[in-house]
Amino acid sequence: MKRIRIASALLALVVLAALAIVTTTSKHTVRAVYASSGCTDATLSGNYAFSYSGHTSSQGPTTTTRGPVVPLAAVGLFAFDGAGNLSASFSVSSNGTIATGQTDSGTYSVNSDCTGSVSLTTSGFTGSIAIAGGGSEVLGMDTRATYTSTFDLKKQ
């Protein structure tokens, strides 16, 4: 009986040692994921179709009150020049009121980690962006205080 216990203990130690060796020397380890690097303003160049959706609330009579929350959506095109300037043409729906043929222009900046910001002049839009697929897609969110909206741009 004592031999069986000793043999079982030795077998357990051998198995544990083998597992320790395999896990420390295995070539099939999970690699760390890092954000891609090397993005610049030039990463965004050309036309991008976009969709935008979310909600907004108008500012009430004081800075601490808000008006009613209403749905907001837009679809259109962004044109990036690769040097930090952009133009947009789009249609927008705010609480069911649709406006077509809208245009705007502004600026954008891209960080080396492929994040950045967008700002439009006429509408006052500001947003944070993250670039995916080497510039083939841009994900973003509206950063204005009374907006809860996201957008997606796809290179044409």
Side-chain angles (χ1 to χ4, degrees):
M1 206 49 138
K2 191 173 186 179
R3 282 186 176 170
I4 293 174
R5 285 186 195 162
I6 292 173
S8 295
L10 286 174
L11 182 60
L13 285 173
V14 168
V15 169
L16 286 173
L19 284 173
I21 291 169
V22 168
T23 56
T24 58
T25 61
S26 175
K27 292 182 182 179
H28 300 289
T29 59
V30 176
R31 295 183 310 165
V33 176
Y34 300 98
S36 58
S37 60
C39 285
T40 66
D41 286 353
T43 304
L44 298 180
S45 181
N47 293 331
Y48 287 75
F50 79 89
S51 65
Y52 169 100
S53 64
H55 296 86
T56 185
S57 63
S58 59
Q59 188 72 41
T62 70
T63 57
T64 58
T65 62
R66 301 264 187 233
V69 175
V70 298
L72 185 65
V75 64
L77 292 174
F78 273 108
F80 295 93
D81 72 353
N85 301 295
L86 65 92
S87 61
S89 60
F90 55 95
S91 296
V92 63
S93 172
S94 178
N95 200 27
T97 301
I98 298 173
T100 60
Q102 304 299 300
T103 61
D104 209 338
S105 62
T107 59
Y108 69 96
S109 64
V110 176
N111 302 316
S112 63
D113 67 354
C114 299
T115 62
S117 61
V118 176
S119 178
L120 295 177
T121 306
T122 304
S123 65
F125 171 85
T126 58
S128 291
I129 60 172
I131 300 168
S136 63
E137 186 170 12
V138 180
L139 305 173
M141 64 178 252
D142 197 319
T143 57
R144 294 175 289 178
T146 59
Y147 291 78
T148 304
S149 305
T150 60
F151 55 94
D152 187 6
L153 291 78
K154 295 191 190 234
K155 188 163 179 104
Q156 290 188 311

